[in-house]
Amino acid sequence: QVQLVESGGDLVHPGGSLRLSCAASGRTFTIVGMGWYRQAPGKERELVASFTSGGNTNHADAVRGRFAISRDNAKNTMYLQMNSLKPEDAAVYYCNARLQVSMEWFVEVWGQGTLVTVSS
């Protein structure tokens, strides 16, 4: 299995920046996709940014141009650089990984989440 541990959440003022990290451990060779999601109180979990199967990146409209997903394969770590933060970006941010267990069997794993608060 794979374990995901997020870090970097904090309280930040509007307009500020944060970088979230997601460290993967275990059978990381089974990972075929990774991404960041967020969930604000009373709202559904939504995709923020992800790596496509081809290695390209995808960012939600709400964060495009402000957030950037990246990864360091040598460290098995994924990042989310968040700039120009807005109050509506406040949420628990989750790391997600899609694992290929067998030829036709895929599973998804989640980290425990890291809280981002944007407030003046």
Side-chain angles (χ1 to χ4, degrees):
Q1 196 46 292
V2 169
Q3 295 78 42
L4 304 174
V5 178
E6 302 101 330
S7 61
D10 205 344
L11 168 65
V12 63
H13 295 310
S17 297
L18 280 177
R19 189 177 81 155
L20 306 183
S21 299
C22 172
S25 61
R27 299 168 60 89
T28 57
F29 60 88
T30 64
I31 296 175
V32 295
M34 292 190 76
W36 288 98
Y37 288 73
R38 67 185 181 186
Q39 187 167 20
K43 295 187 177 181
E44 294 186 355
R45 191 171 297 188
E46 62 177 0
L47 175 67
V48 177
S50 65
F51 286 98
T52 67
S53 58
N56 295 318
T57 60
N58 173 57
H59 295 78
D61 290 343
V63 307
R64 190 172 294 118
R66 299 186 298 120
F67 292 10
I69 190 172
S70 64
R71 62 188 174 188
D72 184 334
N73 291 331
K75 296 182 179 180
N76 289 321
T77 301
M78 179 176 66
Y79 303 98
L80 184 68
Q81 179 66 43
M82 305 187 295
N83 300 325
S84 302
L85 281 160
K86 303 175 181 180
E88 53 263 41
D89 294 319
V92 178
Y93 283 72
Y94 296 92
C95 176
N96 167 274
R98 180 175 172 84
L99 315 180
Q100 184 166 13
V101 180
S102 66
M103 185 64 69
E104 297 181 355
W105 185 19
F106 295 85
V107 299
E108 302 213 6
V109 296
W110 296 87
Q112 82 287 353
T114 186
L115 178 63
V116 173
T117 303
V118 184
S119 176
S120 55

